[in-house]
Amino acid sequence: MRTKIVAGNWKMNKTSAEGAALIAGIRKELGDGKLPVEVVVCPPFTGLDAAAKALAGSKIGLGAQNMHFEAPGAFTGEVCAEMLKALCVQYVILGHSERRTFFGETDAIVNRKTKMALAAGLTPIVCVGETLAEREANKTEKVVTTQVRDSLAGLGADLAKVVVAYEPVWAIGTGKTASPAQAQEVHALIRRVLAVISDGQTATGIRIQYGGSMKPENAKELMSQPDIDGGLIGGAALKADAFAAIVRGAL
Ligand code: PEP
């Protein structure tokens, strides 16, 4: 049985104070008791410390949106895994399509980051997904297979600790959601690729989130698909009531 995981990717939104207020709102909605699914919020770096404090006493986890693959050193402007750990961060989103598109992140870079995150004891949420042009050219299978295989190469037994997020680029922030059937088809493909790079049992245990315009209205149906184990939420994660409604949709 895979425990579903719903994570909010705040992207470059919310000051520290705004983030703390959003967390207070989410706690009010969900309560501080045991949560039925894993819930994570991922503020920008500048909001992590305030978010950690705002989360004290709650079961909601804390994630970052990126990190560098190197250990501490001369890498101006970068943030390493050790710094995230020191702020009580437990998860890190890696290889988001915005990082791949605007900041040139390749599968090889995502792979190095994933290895470093795992070595530091962070849970990587590794994003993959095809663009609209790739989907229309019938390249979804090839693109997603390559991203999964290369971003997650050489992890050994640690592969079991990774969360994969399937985020079709054409659905991110566009209001266009993959249909449950479209998403399920790619999630099943990802699980097959995971089985090829590890084994059937490991692949069966790995959580695969869907991301791309998930909202309260479509969350339940998407997360009811057999291979969809939660959501990575952008826009709708910026409002406490919408985010909490999506979490409830995972039940
Ligand atoms: C995301 O950026 O990870 C995402 C899924 O965004 P949105 O929900 O806004 O499409």
Side-chain angles (χ1 to χ4, degrees), residues 9 11 96 98 167 171-175 211-214 232-236:
N9 171 17
K11 312 195 188 200
H96 189 279
E98 286 149 21
E167 299 206 303
I172 296 179
T174 58
S213 299
M214 194 185 268
L232 183 55
I233 324 298

